[in-house]
Amino acid sequence: MSPASDSLFAHRGFVLFWFARLVGTAAAQMAMVAVGWQMYELTGSAWDLGLVGLLQFAPVMLLALPAGHLIDRWHRGRILAACLGTLAAISALLWAASGGGWASRELLLGVSIALGAVRAFQMPAQQALTPSLVPAAILPRALAFSSAGMQAAIIAGPALGGVVYVAGAAAVYATCAALFGAGAALALAVRYEHAPPPAAPVTRETLLAGVHFVWRHKPVLGAISLDLFAVLLGGATALLPMFAKDILHVGPWGLGLLRSAPAVGALVMSVVLTRWPVRRRTGHVLLGAVAVFGLAQFVFGLSTSFWLSLAVLGISGAADMVSVVIRQTLVQLETPDEMRGRVSAVNSIFIGASNQLGEFESGATAALLGPVGSVVLGGLGTLAVAAAWFKLFPALAERDELVATPAARPR
């Protein structure tokens, strides 16, 4: 490999894609801060906070498999641009509703469904696009560098959203609309070698091909399902408005910092992984990182100190970043290009279940046990998942190298 091809910045399509995801992620994080705080101000209900997550997940379940088939046939950059453009339109609607005084619980729940429908196409398109933009040998670095940018956006987005929210929800949504529009323009400029497969009818077999592939390849199944159960049990994102307002006694600015804290840890770790990627004993490192994530969630649930809460959320973000980079690299390298859209769609269902369904689970258990009981129980559940995966998926747990290195040449 030449030095030029070894540089991520030598790949123009990857750079454009990186910036498109950067601004899109920042806008999405700003929007979620505004929606969460606005919903809690309107209803004061933990159930409604969880319902926002559930309604975002439902369309992913319905649309992910058809989306994966579409992504394997059409230009993935154009699909991403269409998704970001749609998010700009949704943000403009929320801008008008908040500025006009007709924002309501029902509107926010309806918007949650629309966001889920867009995510069904956006997430697998993004996942399947990255390996087409860089050589396989530098894919782990590309994913780590991409994650660094995303985490920077996740840090800046909620913090900026919390500050801008002082001027009202309408100001946040207006900013989101502009950022999503910029992301769509950048995604439209992404170029890569795309050869559409021969036209073929859409059948049950083609739609389920990604499911069959994941089921037959146990390391891939283990990696994808690990994220599902670990984050489903251990996520506390949906409850952050409750912790901010009722336990830690801070306002929207504090909520923004709490949402940003995991990304601070993740950003630091992603920079480390860009420079020093995990090369050996990756299975043990992966499951160890999930255990650290669960322990950090457990401590967060018990904390009544704002600064301790920020610190353990940062640790959870760093541990999660190790898990994300290893899992994403393994899944992409184990999947042939013509299957990446459908396999990424299956992955997006698992991720959606872990994130959006996890938010609903958090809201529902918080309604029964309170926010502290919900997060503490979830952290313990994540620790149990990390231990169980050593036994259930030995091929994943004992995985050594992610990217096979050529044998050393005799001297």
Side-chain angles (χ1 to χ4, degrees):
M1 181 181 294
S2 68
S5 64
D6 191 49
S7 171
L8 294 174
F9 298 101
H11 304 278
R12 181 175 181 272
F14 175 77
V15 173
L16 291 170
F17 172 59
W18 188 86
F19 278 109
R21 289 192 66 187
L22 181 73
V23 296
T25 301
Q29 292 298 314
M30 291 180 66
M32 290 314 299
V33 167
V35 169
W37 193 267
Q38 196 171 24
M39 177 65 84
Y40 198 54
E41 281 190 329
L42 287 170
T43 70
S45 169
W47 174 263
D48 285 335
L49 289 175
L51 198 57
V52 168
L54 177 63
L55 293 179
Q56 288 186 53
F57 171 65
V60 175
M61 284 292 294
L62 295 174
L63 298 175
L65 295 183
H69 184 272
L70 184 72
I71 290 163
D72 278 335
R73 301 190 62 83
W74 288 12
H75 193 288
R76 293 160 184 168
R78 306 293 182 274
I79 294 173
L80 176 59
C83 292
L84 292 172
T86 303
L87 291 174
I90 293 172
S91 299
L93 171 64
L94 290 171
W95 176 16
S98 299
W102 46 276
S104 66
R105 171 182 182 272
E106 290 70 26
L107 175 64
L108 294 178
L109 294 179
V111 163
S112 297
I113 296 174
L115 292 174
V118 173
R119 186 168 294 166
F121 292 85
Q122 181 184 0
M123 288 183 61
Q126 290 177 166
Q127 292 174 16
L129 183 56
T130 305
S132 301
L133 302 177
V134 297
I138 63 172
L139 180 60
R141 288 177 51 216
L143 290 174
F145 183 72
S146 181
S147 295
M150 299 316 99
Q151 297 308 319
I154 293 171
I155 294 168
L160 181 60
V163 172
V164 175
Y165 199 96
V166 175
V172 180
Y173 296 132
T175 306
C176 291
L179 289 174
F180 280 130
L186 288 165
L188 279 174
V190 172
R191 300 286 185 270
Y192 69 98
E193 293 183 7
H194 172 63
V202 179
T203 65
R204 181 175 177 272
E205 288 71 23
T206 59
L207 287 177
L208 294 177
V211 177
H212 295 154
F213 180 90
V214 170
W215 181 256
R216 290 193 303 267
H217 293 75
K218 298 307 179 185
V220 175
L221 175 63
I224 291 176
S225 59
L226 177 65
D227 176 74
L228 167 64
F229 289 102
V231 180
L232 175 65
L233 295 172
T237 303
L239 302 180
L240 288 181
M242 297 185 72
F243 276 88
K245 187 172 185 179
D246 301 331
I247 296 174
L248 303 175
H249 307 295
V250 292
W253 66 271
L255 174 61
L257 290 178
L258 288 172
R259 287 190 66 101
S260 298
V264 173
L267 175 60
V268 173
M269 183 56 68
S270 60
V271 171
V272 171
L273 293 174
T274 300
R275 179 64 182 86
W276 297 287
V278 178
R279 300 188 185 279
R280 306 301 299 268
R281 298 177 61 83
T282 53
H284 283 77
V285 173
L286 170 62
L287 295 176
V290 171
V292 171
F293 174 82
L295 182 61
Q297 293 296 309
F298 175 81
V299 175
F300 172 76
L302 295 176
S303 171
T304 56
S305 163
F306 178 68
W307 299 110
L308 175 60
S309 296
L310 284 178
V312 294
L313 285 176
I315 292 171
S316 75
D320 188 49
M321 178 51 54
V322 175
S323 171
V324 166
V325 170
I326 292 176
R327 285 186 292 103
Q328 288 187 356
T329 304
L330 186 148
V331 171
Q332 296 299 337
L333 290 178
E334 294 285 318
T335 306
D337 184 66
E338 65 273 12
M339 287 289 299
R340 283 192 177 120
R342 282 165 286 182
V343 170
S344 295
V346 176
N347 193 23
S348 72
I349 294 176
F350 280 71
I351 292 174
S354 64
N355 292 333
Q356 279 71 57
L357 194 58
E359 291 180 9
F360 175 72
E361 178 270 337
S362 296
T365 55
L368 295 173
L369 305 175
V372 172
S374 174
V375 175
V376 167
L377 183 62
L380 293 175
T382 301
L383 287 169
V385 166
W389 255 238
F390 272 99
K391 296 292 185 182
L392 294 175
F393 296 96
L396 174 65
E398 298 301 325
R399 179 82 174 221
D400 189 17
E401 294 180 304
L402 274 178
V403 182
T405 56
R409 296 179 181 178
R411 296 187 179 183

